């Protein structure tokens, strides 16, 4: 199950339990909408409560990342899991975005907001 929230230039997703293909499709739909109407967006993935993901989610994530390689500025990943930290690092190979892993949500949001504020001021 996922919970999503979004602002003008950011999409936040929190995953609870198993991350399924239906959940990922919901995420994709929201991100595609934001990109279409707002341009480049930032992402915040909260994976601290994720129990796992299905193989079809992994495949869909690879396809989605390749299709949207230039559509993200920054991606913040909230996790304490070393495997997910490594996975976030590998995902940088498919996207132009800067990817950082955090264990504190406030720090992750501050990083995304600081960048957005600095870019808006330029």
């Amino acid at each position: 199950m996922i919970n999503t929230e979004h602002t003008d230039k950011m999409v936040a997703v929190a995953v609870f339990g198993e991350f399924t293909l239906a959940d990922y499709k919901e995420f994709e739909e929201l991100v595609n909408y934001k990109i279409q109407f707002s341009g480049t967006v930032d992402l915040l993935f909260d994976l601290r409560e994720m129990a796992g993901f299905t193989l079809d989610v992994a495949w869909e994530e690879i396809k989605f990342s390749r299709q949207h390689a230039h559509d993200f500025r920054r991606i913040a990943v909230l996790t304490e899991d070393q495997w997910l930290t490594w996975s976030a690092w590998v995902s940088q190979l498919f996207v132009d975005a800067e990817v950082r892993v955090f264990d504190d949500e406030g720090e992750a949001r501050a990083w995304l907001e600081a960048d957005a504020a600095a870019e808006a001021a330029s």
Side-chain angles (χ1 to χ4, degrees):
M1 178 175 109
I2 65 169
N3 183 33
T4 60
E5 74 175 77
H6 58 93
T7 62
D8 188 36
K9 289 287 193 177
M10 185 190 67
V11 173
V13 178
V15 179
F16 303 94
E18 186 173 60
F19 197 14
T20 66
L21 185 58
D23 295 330
Y24 199 87
K25 293 289 189 177
E26 181 182 334
F27 157 75
E28 281 182 323
E29 187 176 309
L30 176 58
V31 169
N32 283 330
Y33 176 85
K34 296 303 286 182
I35 290 169
Q36 180 179 358
F37 292 102
S38 299
T40 304
V41 297
D42 293 330
L43 299 177
L44 173 62
F45 282 105
D46 186 346
L47 305 178
R48 295 174 293 180
E49 299 296 323
M50 183 176 78
F53 55 90
T54 59
L55 186 57
D56 51 357
V57 168
W59 177 243
E60 190 67 22
E61 195 277 328
I62 292 169
K63 293 188 315 185
F64 184 77
S65 294
R66 293 186 72 184
Q67 290 171 349
H68 295 284
H70 309 292
D71 293 330
F72 307 111
R73 290 183 317 143
R74 283 189 166 182
I75 302 171
V77 180
L78 283 164
T79 185
E80 296 171 357
D81 183 293
Q82 291 293 24
W83 168 250
L84 293 174
T85 299
W86 181 82
S87 178
W89 178 81
V90 168
S91 71
Q92 289 185 99
L93 301 173
F94 300 107
V95 295
D96 291 337
E98 184 177 0
V99 179
R100 282 200 191 165
V101 177
F102 297 87
D103 58 10
D104 179 80
E105 183 173 354
E107 290 177 13
R109 287 182 181 272
W111 178 67
L112 293 172
E113 292 168 7
D115 180 61
E119 191 167 291
S122 338

